[in-house]
Amino acid sequence: MASTATRNFSLIARHASRRSKYRLLSSSAILREETPAHVGVAPSPRKPVGGIRGGVIGFLFGFSLASSFAAYRLLDEYKQASVTLQASVEELQQSTEKVSAHVRRIEAVEKDLKALSNSSASKDDLSRLRSEVKKIYDGLHIEFLDLRSFVWGMQQDVHAIMKREAMDVKPPAERI
């Protein structure tokens, strides 16, 4: 195992040395046999990003990101407001239907009340009818009293006639 660990260590060291800029002072056969990958080709120089250009690009990127986030939030709020408005419109429509149903019922009751008021008697009519009924009752009462006195007079006459006949009555033998 010790030999495997040393072998792995030497492979890692070699691999790390290939990538470093500095050449090691070793004269191992493996390092001498390696050929550089890019012989004769110069790496292309990169243009440095300037502070102003980087700032503008960063500003534009941040602005576009913030704008898209704001547009998303605005659209979301618009949808929520639209849903809320739709719900309130439906609620208003339901309450309007209820109110119109109540108005129709009130109109029907008013129509019935008007019909009843046209067919019913007023206080003046009742007082006039009451006075007429009193007059008729008084007239009937007077006629009843007149009739009673007439009947009483007839009873008196009948009693008087009966008394006279009873006195003038013949004896019972003569009657038969």
Side-chain angles (χ1 to χ4, degrees), residues 91-107:
E91 184 179 326
L92 180 64
Q93 185 178 12
Q94 290 173 352
S95 65
T96 303
E97 289 173 0
K98 286 181 183 178
V99 166
S100 13
H102 287 298
V103 166
R104 283 192 296 272
R105 280 191 228 140
I106 289 172
E107 287 174 352

Side-chain angles (χ1 to χ4, degrees), residues 3-169:
S3 66
T4 341
T6 28
R7 218 180 312 153
N8 284 341
F9 181 74
S10 66
L11 282 175
I12 292 172
R14 272 189 245 147
H15 200 37
S17 66
R18 283 185 201 158
R19 292 187 179 173
S20 67
K21 290 183 181 180
Y22 302 107
R23 189 171 178 183
L24 297 175
L25 295 176
S26 66
S27 58
S28 67
I30 296 172
L31 286 179
R32 275 185 267 148
E33 291 175 7
E34 280 187 17
T35 58
H38 301 289
V39 177
V41 178
S44 64
R46 291 183 65 194
K47 290 183 179 179
V49 178
I52 293 176
R53 188 170 49 160
V56 169
I57 289 173
F59 172 75
L60 290 177
F61 177 73
F63 181 75
S64 63
L65 185 66
S67 297
S68 63
F69 181 71
Y72 172 76
R73 293 286 294 173
L74 184 64
L75 185 63
D76 188 41
E77 286 182 19
Y78 174 74
K79 285 179 183 177
Q80 288 177 354
S82 177
V83 166
T84 305
L85 181 64
Q86 183 67 26
S88 66
V89 165
E90 290 173 357
E91 184 179 326
L92 180 64
Q93 185 178 12
Q94 290 173 352
S95 65
T96 303
E97 289 173 0
K98 286 181 183 178
V99 166
S100 13
H102 287 298
V103 166
R104 283 192 296 272
R105 280 191 228 140
I106 289 172
E107 287 174 352
V109 167
E110 284 179 349
K111 182 180 175 185
D112 292 343
L113 181 65
K114 188 174 182 180
L116 286 174
S117 68
N118 288 338
S119 65
S120 65
S122 66
K123 286 185 177 183
D124 295 336
D125 293 339
L126 287 176
S127 64
R128 185 173 40 86
L129 287 174
R130 187 177 294 151
S131 66
E132 287 179 17
V133 168
K134 276 186 177 180
K135 286 178 185 177
I136 292 172
Y137 179 75
D138 289 341
L140 288 175
H141 187 64
I142 291 172
E143 286 181 20
F144 174 72
L145 291 177
D146 287 343
L147 184 62
R148 196 172 180 191
S149 66
F150 179 72
V151 168
W152 184 75
M154 284 179 71
Q155 281 178 347
Q156 294 299 324
D157 289 341
V158 168
H159 283 317
I161 290 174
M162 293 286 277
K163 277 186 184 179
R164 258 189 273 159
E165 277 189 22
M167 289 191 206
D168 290 338
V169 175

